């Protein structure tokens, strides 16, 4: 899986050894609660700290075995033809994850029914998603967060029987769908949208079909041993170049009018250092007295980003969260250059920047990039190429 010549080899090897050791200890636990808690911690470790392992048959089997040990009263529930249930762990007004579901439903044929269920809902008001669901005669369903693991799984199993197709957009560590649909008694097709191929995730054992966002996905075929897939890509937004005056937008947003503006966006974990890959150090090579880089999605009061802002003399600026429907697109239209998040790429965020006609760049990393971008000049193979192209665009 990992070449000893890879610069991350020592870091990943140490993490993998720890993961395997803890997993072996967990296998001997007899108490279900303790074993489940142990496995949930290991899943989170594998997802958010690269351990050089992308799937676990033992963990998958544990949750499908559990799925078959619990049951509902009735499986003879009729569904309407052309009905789809999209399952999200959590939806957000920021980021590309929820945008995918919005655009999927928006682009669906008028005669289809699309509903969305949130397993662990938050308080975000996703008005665009709600409107799209309403237009497709679906429902927006929220589970009570206080429900137990078993209660959520059985509720989801029964709910799924009312639809012809199940589509998973769940978080990588979410085991609820595996418990809900891991029994042979549940016969509706389960489609898994593979939005995190490069990471460890749970659910391949319940997926009748994995929907890929990359063609010839090495992470999926080799690291997860999944072959039954279908390429679907990322649902796009209508290309809509901004007609707003850039100077007026900058006045409105409080950005420097006569300076070069770089915008980047993503959740904080997309900018965490991976080994030696450091976003701030690379951006420092691009900015100067006349160039500012604004990052949407990272907290203003985060100690790391406060330090980055200080060391850059105020030229690398965290902006915090900005609602997608309340100003986010204005920031894109006001930019001279959009730079992808790094070291974890943004996927849908790049589509939004391109749709506004903004020059965009993405730097190759240990993470992967989608085909729509990796086959173009916007995709840079190394840091030198990235810095050179950024300077040419800005000047």
């Amino acid at each position: 899986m990992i070449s000893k010549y890879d610069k991350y080899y020592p870091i990943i090897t140490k993490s993998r050894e720890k993961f395997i050791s803890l997993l072996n200890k967990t296998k001997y636990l007899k108490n279900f609660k303790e074993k489940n808690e142990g496995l949930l911690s290991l899943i989170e470790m594998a997802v958010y700290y690269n351990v050089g392992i992308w799937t676990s048959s033992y963990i998958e089997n544990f949750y499908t075995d559990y799925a078959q040990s619990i049951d509902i009263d009735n499986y003879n529930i009729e569904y309407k033809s052309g009905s789809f249930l999209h399952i999200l762990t959590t939806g957000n007004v920021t980021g590309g994850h929820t945008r995918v579901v919005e655009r999927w439903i928006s682009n669906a044929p008028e005669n289809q029914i699309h509903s969305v269920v949130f397993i662990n809902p938050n308080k975000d008001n996703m008005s665009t998603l709600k409107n799209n669901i309403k237009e497709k005669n679906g429902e927006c369903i929220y589970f009570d967060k206080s429900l137990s693991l078993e209660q959520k799984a059985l509720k989801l199993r029964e709910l799924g029987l009312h639809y012809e197709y199940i589509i998973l957009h769940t978080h990588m560590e979410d085991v609820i769908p595996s418990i809900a649909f891991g029994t042979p008694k549940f016969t509706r097709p389960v489609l898994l949208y593979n939005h995190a191929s490069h990471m460890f995730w749970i659910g391949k054992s319940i997926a009748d079909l994995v929907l890929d966002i990359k063609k010839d996905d090495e992470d999926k075929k080799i690291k997860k041993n999944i072959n039954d897939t279908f390429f679907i890509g990322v649902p796009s937004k209508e290309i809509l170049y901004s007609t707003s005056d850039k100077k007026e937008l900058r006045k409105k947003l409080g950005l420097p009018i006569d300076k070069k503006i770089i915008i980047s966006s993503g959740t904080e974990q997309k900018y965490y250092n991976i080994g030696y890959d450091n976003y701030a150090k690379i951006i420092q090579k691009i900015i100067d007295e006349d160039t500012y880089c604004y990052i949407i999605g990272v907290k203003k009061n985060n100690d790391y980003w406060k330090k980055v802002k200080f060391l850059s003399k105020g030229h690398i600026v965290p902006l915090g969260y900005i609602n997608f429907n309340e100003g986010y697109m204005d920031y894109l239209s006001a930019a001279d250059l959009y730079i992808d998040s790094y070291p974890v790429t943004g996927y849908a965020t790049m589509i939004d920047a391109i749709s506004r006609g903004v020059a965009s760049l993405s730097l190759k990393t240990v993470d992967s990039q989608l085909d729509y971008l990796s086959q173009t000049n916007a995709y840079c193979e190394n840091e030198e190429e990235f810095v050179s192209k950024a300077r040419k665009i800005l000047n």
Side-chain angles (χ1 to χ4, degrees), residues 237-249:
K237 185 179 177 66
E238 178 187 0
I239 301 298
L240 183 62
Y241 295 127
S242 175
T243 56
S244 301
D245 181 84
K246 188 176 288 189
K247 288 185 177 181
E248 290 302 316
L249 280 176

Side-chain angles (χ1 to χ4, degrees), residues 96-157:
H97 190 60
T98 308
R99 306 290 84 71
V100 166
V101 185
E102 285 176 2
R103 294 168 191 177
W104 186 317
I105 296 173
S106 176
N107 291 325
E110 294 298 325
N111 61 341
Q112 290 184 355
I113 299 170
H114 287 262
S115 293
V116 175
V117 57
F118 300 94
I119 296 174
N120 293 315
N122 57 26
K123 296 180 180 179
D124 283 12
N125 181 21
M126 293 158 285
S127 57
T128 300
L129 178 59
K130 290 178 182 178
N131 290 336
N132 292 353
I133 293 168
K134 185 177 180 180
E135 289 176 3
K136 292 302 188 304
N137 300 307
E139 294 181 80
C140 209
I141 304 158
Y142 303 92
F143 280 5
D144 187 334
K145 295 177 74 172
S146 66
L147 295 175
S148 68
L149 195 75
E150 180 176 325
Q151 288 172 326
K152 286 181 179 178
L154 291 180
K155 187 173 182 178
L156 186 60
R157 185 182 299 180

Side-chain angles (χ1 to χ4, degrees), residues 304-340:
Y304 172 78
W305 287 104
K306 284 165 70 175
K307 183 179 179 180
V308 167
K309 183 178 180 180
F310 174 77
L311 292 175
S312 70
K313 298 180 180 178
H315 283 255
I316 300 178
V317 185
L319 290 178
Y321 294 111
I322 296 174
N323 193 313
F324 185 80
N325 297 312
E326 297 174 6
Y328 176 79
M329 297 302 275
D330 285 342
Y331 276 93
L332 298 185
S333 299
D336 296 298
L337 171 65
Y338 181 89
I339 289 179
D340 200 0

Side-chain angles (χ1 to χ4, degrees), residues 187-199:
T187 57
R188 304 285 189 270
V190 177
L191 314 179
L192 192 153
Y193 186 72
N194 188 16
H195 63 87
S197 180
H198 58 291
M199 302 175 75

